[in-house]
Structure formats: structure tokens, C-alpha cells
């Protein structure tokens, strides 16, 4: 259910052969569903980011614990959070004081530690829709990490590799694949950001424009592909080789099916 500057969720864990488990009846997150507010840390541990904190849940023990908590006066509320499974680091972008500033601090927690490494005034947030800030994505990869920050009022992506090398391109990383990072670009509007196009970018090389998705409800990543849902509930996906958007069909021919947002590249099919 949408809720202005974020989304309210019910969080239920389903496992084959077991009854569903309600982990949270309602939790509120500024991270929208297509940006993965819930992530797997390992085979038995889930991480989820609410507006008020970042939590992990042990599915074997049925126990929840907090990794990062915002205080009651709106300090350190979450804009975005991501767990780096390669380096065992939790990264959080948090508002320094939501009532007074759009400034975000960058916090990094080493696994097992409760005190973060903090970079104050790392970047700012910016309106992408009325009452809604842009999710400033963080994308850890094996060789480095993609970070979003605001420059001249619009999002840019920094890629920092393991050796500390830094590369920058305009846009926000929506999907990272072996072929490159798909960046959605924006321009400043009168009151909020205005989407202006898409590029694919390999750090160290010039970004290349790609075809804009057709008009639709939402554009999202599933596995290693970009999808757009159409008003008639069809899905189209981006074909890099042909630089065009093509109709998507479920791999096993199901008629009523939909790709699932997230890294798994799964899809749901209705069973009569």
C-alpha cells in the first residue's frame, strides 16, 4: 500500500511445506518495492530496511535484531540501505535531520559491530515526485560498489573499485549486469526531477544512450533484465542487442504470468 513518501508493507515469510510466518504486520519504508527493501544476507538471514531502522531476521531461530536504529526526533531515518555480502558491510544513507534538512549521512557498519563509520553531509535527497524523495541506490558488486549522489540537483553514480579507483557518470543505477550499469537520467524540473532518458555505462568508458522504455506503469529490474509493465498488464523487456523493448513471455509459456522484481530473475504464474 502506497503512503506518500514511502510504502507500508506486511512482511510474510513463505517456505515450502510450512505455514506462512508473519515477521512484521506493518512496517513503513521509503525504499520502494522495485529497489528491494528486503534482501538476503545469507541462506538463513534476511535484512529489511524500514524508515525507522534496519533489521535482520534469522529464519531458523525466528529471531529479529536491529542493525541500525533512528532516534525519535527524526535523526538517522533511512533513505536507503544495502548489504555488501562480499565485504560483509552494511551501508546506510540516513537523513541527518528530516525536519530541517535534506542532507544525508553515509554510515557503514562492519559485520558484528554496532558503531558505524560515518561520513556526514555525504549528499542530499531530492524530490522525484510530490512528497517523495529519490531512493539513493547503493549497489555492491564483486569488484566494487555503485553509489548514487546528487550533483547540480540531479543524480550521478560513482563507481568505486576495490583499489579505490573512482569513475562517475550521470544518472542513477537501476540495474548492473556484465554488460554494464543501466542508469536512469533526470533533469531538474520546476518542483521535482523529470526523467530524461536511459544509458548503459561501463566504468572507465563513455555512457551510451539506449532506447527509452515505452509509456508504462513502472520500470524495474528482474534478474539481469529491465522490464516495464504496461497499462494493459503486459510486460516488455529491454533487448540490448537490438536496442529495443520487446514483449515478454513466460519461459514455460504460461499465459497469466509476471516477472518478479529483484535479483532472482523469477516469475509468478497463476495456477487454475
Amino acid at each position: 500500500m502506497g503512503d506518500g513518501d514511502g510504502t507500508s508493507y506486511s512482511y510474510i515469510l513463505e517456505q515450502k511445506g510450512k505455514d506462512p510466518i508473519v515477521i512484521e504486520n506493518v512496517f513503513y519504508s521509503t525504499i520502494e518495492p522495485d529497489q528491494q527493501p528486503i534482501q538476503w544476507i545469507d541462506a538463513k538471514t534476511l535484512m529489511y530496511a524500514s524508515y525507522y531502522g534496519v533489521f535482520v531476521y534469522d529464519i531458523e531461530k525466528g529471531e529479529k535484531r536491529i542493525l541500525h536504529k533512528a532516534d525519535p526526533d527524526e535523526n538517522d531515518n533511512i533513505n536507503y540501505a544495502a548489504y555488501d555480502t562480499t565485504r560483509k558491510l552494511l551501508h546506510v544513507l540516513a537523513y541527518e535531520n528530516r525536519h530541517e534538512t535534506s542532507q544525508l549521512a553515509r554510515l557503514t557498519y562492519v559485520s558484528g559491530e554496532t558503531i558505524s563509520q560515518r561520513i556526514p553531509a555525504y549528499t542530499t535527497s531530492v524530490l522525484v515526485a510530490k512528497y517523495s524523495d529519490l531512493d539513493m541506490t547503493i549497489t555492491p558488486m564483486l569488484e566494487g560498489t555503485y553509489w548514487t549522489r546528487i550533483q547540480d540537483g540531479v543524480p550521478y553514480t560513482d563507481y568505486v573499485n576495490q583499489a579505490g579507483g573512482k569513475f562517475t557518470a550521470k544518472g542513477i543505477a537501476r540495474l548492473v549486469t556484465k554488460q554494464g550499469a543501466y542508469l536512469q537520467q533526470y533533469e531538474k524540473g520546476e518542483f521535482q526531477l523529470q526523467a530524461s532518458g536511459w544509458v548503459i555505462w561501463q566504468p572507465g568508458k563513455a555512457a551510451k544512450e539506449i532506447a527509452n522504455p515505452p509509456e508504462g506503469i513502472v520500470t524495474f529490474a528482474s534478474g539481469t533484465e529491465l522490464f516495464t509493465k504496461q497499462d494493459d498488464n503486459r510486460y516488455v523487456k529491454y533487448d540490448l542487442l537490438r536496442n529495443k523493448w520487446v514483449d515478454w513471455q513466460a519461459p514455460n509459456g504460461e499465459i497469466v504470468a509476471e516477472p518478479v522484481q529483484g535479483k532472482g530473475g523469477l516469475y509468478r504464474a497463476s495456477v487454475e
Side-chain angles (χ1 to χ4, degrees):
M1 179 178 68
D3 191 13
D5 186 22
T7 302
S8 296
Y9 302 90
S10 295
Y11 181 14
I12 300 171
L13 176 66
E14 295 183 351
Q15 296 173 283
K16 188 174 181 179
K18 298 181 180 180
D19 291 334
I21 299 171
V22 178
I23 296 176
E24 298 281 358
N25 283 314
V26 176
F27 79 100
Y28 175 66
S29 180
T30 55
I31 305 175
E32 297 297 332
D34 59 309
Q35 295 301 325
Q36 302 184 72
I38 302 169
Q39 301 171 319
W40 287 99
I41 288 180
D42 56 40
K44 68 171 187 175
T45 313
L46 286 162
M47 183 201 86
Y48 60 101
S50 81
Y51 183 63
Y52 302 104
V54 182
F55 304 85
V56 291
Y57 182 82
D58 187 314
I59 64 174
E60 292 183 350
K61 297 179 180 178
E63 294 178 353
K64 176 182 73 173
R65 62 186 176 88
I66 192 162
L67 297 180
H68 169 85
K69 187 175 183 179
D71 58 40
D73 63 358
E74 299 278 302
N75 290 332
D76 284 349
N77 292 114
I78 308 300
N79 174 275
Y80 200 81
Y83 189 80
D84 184 337
T85 56
T86 301
R87 301 161 192 84
K88 311 300 181 187
L89 300 172
L90 169 66
H91 298 298
V92 178
L93 292 177
Y95 293 93
E96 297 195 337
N97 187 320
R98 193 70 189 277
H99 294 304
E100 297 180 1
T101 178
S102 59
Q103 220 163 242
L104 299 175
R106 173 175 148 185
L107 298 84
T108 298
Y109 292 85
V110 177
S111 180
E113 296 185 5
T114 57
I115 304 298
S116 67
Q117 302 167 5
R118 186 183 186 102
I119 302 175
Y122 173 71
T123 188
T124 62
S125 60
V126 62
L127 287 176
V128 70
K130 190 175 183 180
Y131 308 126
S132 183
D133 285 340
L134 183 69
D135 293 343
M136 307 287 285
T137 60
I138 305 166
T139 310
M141 302 296 291
L142 187 63
E143 301 296 332
T145 302
Y146 293 83
W147 303 86
T148 305
R149 60 178 173 82
I150 298 300
Q151 178 179 317
D152 300 325
V154 297
Y156 277 73
T157 292
D158 293 329
Y159 173 73
V160 182
N161 63 25
Q162 291 193 83
K166 180 178 173 182
F167 305 87
T168 301
K170 184 180 178 182
I172 179 171
R174 296 301 192 189
L175 172 66
V176 180
T177 69
K178 291 181 180 179
Q179 288 73 37
Y182 289 91
L183 308 182
Q184 186 176 15
Q185 296 186 330
Y186 290 86
E187 302 295 340
K188 283 192 274 188
E190 185 176 0
F191 301 107
Q192 62 198 42
L193 292 179
Q194 301 292 329
S196 62
W198 288 77
V199 299
I200 187 168
W201 174 56
Q202 293 182 345
K205 298 181 180 180
K208 297 179 181 178
E209 290 186 5
I210 65 172
N212 282 330
E215 193 74 26
I217 298 173
V218 62
T219 299
F220 63 93
S222 178
T224 59
E225 296 182 301
L226 275 179
F227 288 85
T228 292
K229 184 177 182 179
Q230 302 293 280
D231 292 330
D232 58 4
N233 290 325
R234 289 183 305 111
Y235 290 89
V236 295
K237 69 176 184 177
Y238 178 68
D239 185 321
L240 179 60
L241 290 177
R242 293 188 284 171
N243 188 28
K244 65 184 296 186
W245 294 78
V246 299
D247 286 337
W248 174 78
Q249 295 180 334
N252 292 315
E254 293 91 343
I255 297 175
V256 182
E258 60 179 352
V260 176
Q261 298 174 1
K263 296 180 180 179
L266 305 174
Y267 71 96
R268 300 187 188 93
S270 297
V271 178
E272 297 295 333

